[in-house]
Amino acid sequence: MGRRRNGGHSSSPLNGLPQPQGSKIRFEDDDEALIEETTESSNIDESMCEADDSNRVIEDSACEPAQSLDDKDDKTSADYYFDSYSHFGIHEEMLKDSVRTKTYQNVIYQNKFLFKDKVVLDVGAGTGILSLFCAKAGAAHVYAVECSHMADMAKEIVEANGFSNVITVLKGKIEEIELPVARVDIIISEWMGYFLLFENMLNTVLYARDKWLVNDGLVLPDKASLYLTAIEDADYKEDKIEFWNSVYGFDMSCIKRQALVEPLVDTVDQNQIVTNCQLLKTMDISKMAPGDASFTAPFKLIAERDDYIHALVAYFDVSFTKCHKLTGFSTGPRSRATHWKQTVLYLEDVLTICEGESITGSLNVAPNKKNSRDIDIVLKYSFHGRRCSISKTQHYKMR
């Protein structure tokens, strides 16, 4: 993990060629006034990478004993995931991510016909914000399931806003709780992690879908797509990776090797993008099997200018296709920033690439065998250009 310096970073093309421009908007702007108190939500008005989908692959904890929110004693690594969501700071960050939160709000408020008199299950409810949106949109009842201690706060929030008769907050793991009803009409969740799949909350949503969702019920969002592109990033790689080659005259390159293995979650300046953006995989959350989140996808990245390539960058889009109008958002570098940022995979070698030359390879993604919330990534790539040639395999671990 890490944080890029403020102000972004501009690339330095070899021959001073103009920067590539975003060429396609994936989701249309909503020109109509947003209903109720909603305001502009998604980042879909920004130019986004046009993905080459020729290689497209189509698919998609134990609770701690009750204790106060501020009790930080006696925690183990097994407690970390849910305990981290017990503290208000992470919820503040997510709620203030207007791309994220207002997209969900608009999906619900502008499609009340989907929620009217329906029973809704909110998976990983956090503060209960999505449950509150659903209740206000006319849901018959909402079951908000949250395993962290934030569930206690969610109950207070529901009561404070007068929705106790509509929203029931349940504290526990989806895999262990029992709902008071046999079936629900809609499952809504903000399950996406860094690199889309980090934290492996998707499998929890799929478990809930298979156990409680009625036939022809809705899962929101219902589509998620993962993309890959390549960037120039000399300054930052020098500062964060090459730094370890000589630290006050001492060789600490063993740490450099570790730094290369850990993907960096950070905001990438769109001017750093050197190649096209490749669609790796699309997941249909309403139909996919849990095992489909493990996959190997081929890619071909074609240079749009002469430049150097220091890293590959992954990002994701999500969409709500059952709305009266296609709605969604992107976490890509050509879209408005979100708290997910992008995931940077630094290459061991610097590639000198010329316009029209391509990097080909594959990306294998799978949950870690010891901790399924972590992700193991295997990158295989080959490049044979006029100025350099290389074939390599690199391993990354998101922890």
Side-chain angles (χ1 to χ4, degrees):
M1 301 296 184
R3 189 173 296 273
R4 196 172 301 273
R5 288 185 292 274
N6 291 334
H9 165 72
S10 297
S11 61
S12 52
L14 295 176
N15 296 326
L17 298 178
Q19 304 299 318
Q21 299 298 315
S23 57
K24 187 173 183 180
I25 298 177
R26 304 182 66 85
F27 302 105
E28 297 178 1
D29 289 331
D30 187 352
D31 295 326
E32 301 175 357
L34 303 184
I35 64 173
E36 303 210 15
E37 68 269 48
T38 62
T39 59
E40 185 178 2
S41 62
S42 72
N43 52 4
I44 58 180
D45 59 327
E46 302 289 337
S47 294
M48 297 161 62
C49 275
E50 178 176 310
D52 177 0
D53 62 359
S54 60
N55 292 318
R56 182 175 181 179
V57 184
I58 305 293
E59 313 286 328
D60 195 2
S61 22
C63 296
E64 303 96 2
Q67 59 189 123
S68 66
L69 278 170
D70 58 357
D71 183 355
K72 301 178 183 178
D73 296 331
D74 300 324
K75 298 298 180 190
T76 68
S77 58
D79 299 324
Y80 175 75
Y81 173 71
F82 287 115
D83 183 58
S84 67
Y85 284 89
S86 294
H87 305 287
F88 71 88
I90 193 169
H91 296 280
E92 178 183 2
E93 179 184 32
M94 292 188 293
L95 290 169
K96 287 182 175 179
D97 183 343
S98 60
V99 171
R100 164 199 181 267
T101 308
K102 286 190 171 294
T103 296
Y104 275 88
Q105 184 184 42
N106 288 345
V107 164
I108 297 167
Y109 285 1
Q110 294 180 358
N111 296 275
K112 290 185 176 180
F113 69 94
L114 294 176
F115 295 87
K116 180 67 174 175
D117 299 327
K118 294 298 195 303
V119 177
V120 180
L121 173 60
D122 182 358
V123 178
T127 60
I129 186 65
L130 301 186
S131 295
L132 291 166
F133 291 158
C134 292
K136 194 169 183 179
H141 206 90
V142 184
Y143 295 97
V145 180
E146 173 59 39
C147 193
S148 79
H149 299 309
M150 188 54 65
D152 301 322
M153 293 292 97
K155 291 179 182 179
E156 291 190 30
I157 292 168
V158 168
E159 292 173 2
N161 287 276
F163 286 104
S164 296
N165 61 327
V166 180
I167 301 174
T168 299
V169 178
L170 302 171
K171 186 175 182 180
K173 286 179 63 178
I174 280 287
E175 294 83 355
E176 296 177 356
I177 66 163
E178 290 297 330
L179 293 182
V181 293
R183 291 286 185 266
V184 299
D185 302 298
I186 298 172
I187 293 176
I188 192 165
S189 179
E190 193 278 83
W191 55 266
M192 300 79 72
Y194 298 129
F195 191 74
L196 182 62
L197 297 170
F198 184 59
E199 294 181 341
N200 195 32
M201 190 176 164
L202 174 57
N203 276 357
T204 298
V205 174
L206 300 182
Y207 178 92
R209 179 202 67 187
D210 294 342
K211 184 172 183 178
W212 287 299
L213 190 64
V214 298
N215 293 334
D216 299 323
L218 297 181
V219 180
L220 301 172
D222 60 318
K223 295 289 177 62
S225 299
L226 187 66
Y227 296 85
L228 192 70
T229 188
I231 63 168
E232 185 279 337
D233 202 18
D235 291 346
Y236 200 71
K237 186 181 180 187
E238 180 69 27
D239 183 52
K240 300 300 290 186
I241 306 294
E242 306 302 335
F243 162 79
W244 298 106
N245 287 331
S246 179
V247 181
Y248 296 98
F250 297 98
D251 182 352
M252 297 189 181
S253 57
C254 59
I255 297 180
K256 172 185 173 179
R257 291 192 293 272
Q258 182 63 32
L260 281 168
V261 166
E262 297 178 0
L264 177 74
V265 174
D266 208 347
T267 301
V268 172
D269 189 313
Q270 64 174 317
N271 292 326
Q272 296 174 255
I273 299 173
V274 178
T275 70
N276 63 308
C277 299
Q278 172 77 59
L279 173 61
L280 294 176
K281 185 180 181 68
T282 293
M283 301 180 184
D284 185 339
I285 317 304
S286 64
K287 299 178 181 178
M288 67 179 291
D292 294 340
S294 299
F295 62 91
T296 300
F299 66 83
K300 182 178 182 180
L301 301 177
I302 303 173
E304 297 177 344
R305 64 172 185 262
D306 294 0
D307 211 331
Y308 302 101
I309 290 177
H310 299 89
L312 302 188
V313 173
Y315 65 92
F316 64 88
D317 296 354
V318 296
S319 54
F320 302 77
T321 69
K322 304 303 181 183
C323 302
H324 78 278
K325 181 178 181 180
L326 178 63
T327 305
F329 61 84
S330 174
T331 64
R334 286 195 170 115
S335 299
R336 194 176 309 143
T338 70
H339 78 281
W340 287 286
K341 305 184 176 78
Q342 291 89 43
T343 301
V344 182
L345 308 173
Y346 281 109
L347 304 179
E348 294 177 2
D349 301 283
V350 178
L351 308 184
T352 305
I353 197 167
C354 299
E355 182 178 1
E357 294 180 340
S358 62
I359 307 167
T360 58
S362 65
L363 201 70
N364 175 267
V365 179
N368 180 262
K369 293 180 180 179
K370 292 183 178 179
N371 184 349
S372 63
R373 297 198 180 277
D374 296 340
I375 299 177
D376 292 336
I377 302 168
V378 180
L379 168 66
K380 295 181 179 180
Y381 68 94
S382 295
F383 173 66
H384 303 289
R386 297 194 295 273
R387 305 192 185 191
C388 72
S389 182
I390 190 171
S391 293
K392 183 162 284 191
T393 298
Q394 287 186 228
H395 297 259
Y396 303 89
K397 299 179 180 179
M398 293 199 73
R399 302 289 184 263

